[in-house]
């Protein structure tokens, strides 16, 4: 089947935010005398807001409700984005270039408030026909819910959609949804080998992704 739509992840694909998330969340838990579990960072990449806030409250031991943890951390992230949005070089141009050929959607683990702010600041609000947060589906990545819902809202089968992802959980989510998977591995947080195997195409950076490569996926 011919690819008709491309669904982008946000964090690690359009904005280089994983290090910001880690810095903000580690700093937050440290204020309560707590520290990440050995696998906390890997596990939280791709989790929805409700999932990572429960992890910090229930497993890391922050003495706040998950709702308060989420509000605190999201407030700090929004403040960071307002002062310095960490756009990945070439990402805005890539979205515009690929959008000239394919219908676009966005499927992100970020909260809706952060998605809307990033797109507005980057000038990409009009680029996507559909935008989704994992807050708006039953389960976050690595489950396929957000990608299945994106395809449904586009009125397309997942089989004619390609997903652009960087993280292990994101790659697994897109693969399990039945989409063609394009991996853009993050240099600091590379995906696990088993997750990378789900990719039909691996590119070194988002600016290198071409329309021609996407056309050849199916």
């Amino acid at each position: 089947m011919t690819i008709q739509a491309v669904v982008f992840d946000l964090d690690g694909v359009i904005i280089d935010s994983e290090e910001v998330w880690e810095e903000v969340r580690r700093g937050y838990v440290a204020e309560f005398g707590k520290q990440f579990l050995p696998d906390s960072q890997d596990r939280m990449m791709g989790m929805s807001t409700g999932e990572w806030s429960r992890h910090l409250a229930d497993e890391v031991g922050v003495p706040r409700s998950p709702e308060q943890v989420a509000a605190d951390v999201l407030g700090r992230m929004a403040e960071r984005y307002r002062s310095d949005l960490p756009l990945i070089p070439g990402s805005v141009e890539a979205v515009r270039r690929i959008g000239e050929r394919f219908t676009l959607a966005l499927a992100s683990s970020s909260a809706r408030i952060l998605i809307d702010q990033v797109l507005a600041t980057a000038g990409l609000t009009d680029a996507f026909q559909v935008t989704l947060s994992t807050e708006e589906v039953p389960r976050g990545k690595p489950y396929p819910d957000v990608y299945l819902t994106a395809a449904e809202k586009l009125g397309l089968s997942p089989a004619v959609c390609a997903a652009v992802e960087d993280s292990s959980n994101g790659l697994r989510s897109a693969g399990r949804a039945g989409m063609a998977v394009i991996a853009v591995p993050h240099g600091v947080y590379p995906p696990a080998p088993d997750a990378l195997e789900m990719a039909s195409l691996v590119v070194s950076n988002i600016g290198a992704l071409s329309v021609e490569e996407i056309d050849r996926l199916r």
Side-chain angles (χ1 to χ4, degrees):
M1 294 184 179
T2 301
I3 296 296
Q4 298 180 37
V6 177
V7 187
F8 283 84
D9 179 32
L10 182 65
D11 296 274
V13 173
I14 295 173
I15 56 172
D16 194 7
S17 58
E18 301 296 0
E19 291 181 71
V20 181
W21 275 108
E22 182 174 5
E23 179 184 338
V24 167
R25 288 191 289 214
R26 280 190 187 274
Y28 179 70
V29 303
E31 291 174 15
F32 299 96
K34 306 295 182 180
Q35 59 184 353
F36 276 15
L37 304 179
D39 62 349
S40 287
Q41 177 61 22
D42 286 342
R43 287 173 62 187
M44 287 191 291
M45 291 177 70
M47 281 186 176
S48 68
T49 302
E51 290 166 338
W52 62 251
S53 60
R54 282 193 297 272
H55 173 75
L56 295 181
D58 298 344
E59 298 184 58
V60 175
V62 173
R64 293 285 189 274
S65 69
E67 293 77 15
Q68 185 60 55
V69 169
D72 290 346
V73 172
L74 292 176
R76 297 181 189 200
M77 288 296 297
E79 184 177 342
R80 290 288 294 270
Y81 285 172
R82 280 193 295 269
S83 62
D84 184 20
L85 185 64
L87 283 169
I88 291 175
S91 61
V92 172
E93 294 81 4
V95 169
R96 290 296 185 188
R97 181 175 68 253
I98 293 166
E100 292 177 356
R101 168 66 177 82
F102 301 100
T103 299
L104 301 186
L106 185 84
S108 174
S109 297
S110 277
R112 168 57 61 184
I113 188 173
L114 295 183
I115 292 172
D116 292 345
Q117 182 177 313
V118 168
L119 296 183
T121 303
L124 289 175
T125 300
D126 65 336
F128 300 97
Q129 184 170 323
V130 169
T131 64
L132 275 175
S133 166
T134 51
E135 291 181 333
E136 298 159 351
V137 297
R139 300 172 298 179
K141 304 172 185 179
Y143 295 100
D145 303 29
V146 72
Y147 280 106
L148 291 173
T149 304
E152 179 182 359
K153 286 183 175 294
L154 290 172
L156 296 171
S157 164
V160 298
C161 299
V164 186
E165 272 285 359
D166 68 303
S167 69
S168 296
N169 285 339
L171 293 166
R172 294 179 183 125
S173 175
R176 291 168 183 171
M179 294 189 178
V181 181
I182 301 167
V184 189
H186 194 285
V188 178
Y189 308 101
D194 72 288
L196 196 57
E197 287 177 1
M198 304 187 84
S200 302
L201 174 65
V202 179
V203 295
S204 59
N205 64 80
I206 189 65
L209 180 59
S210 71
V211 168
E212 291 74 22
E213 288 175 309
I214 299 171
D215 271 329
R216 291 195 292 267
L217 282 176
R218 294 294 191 188

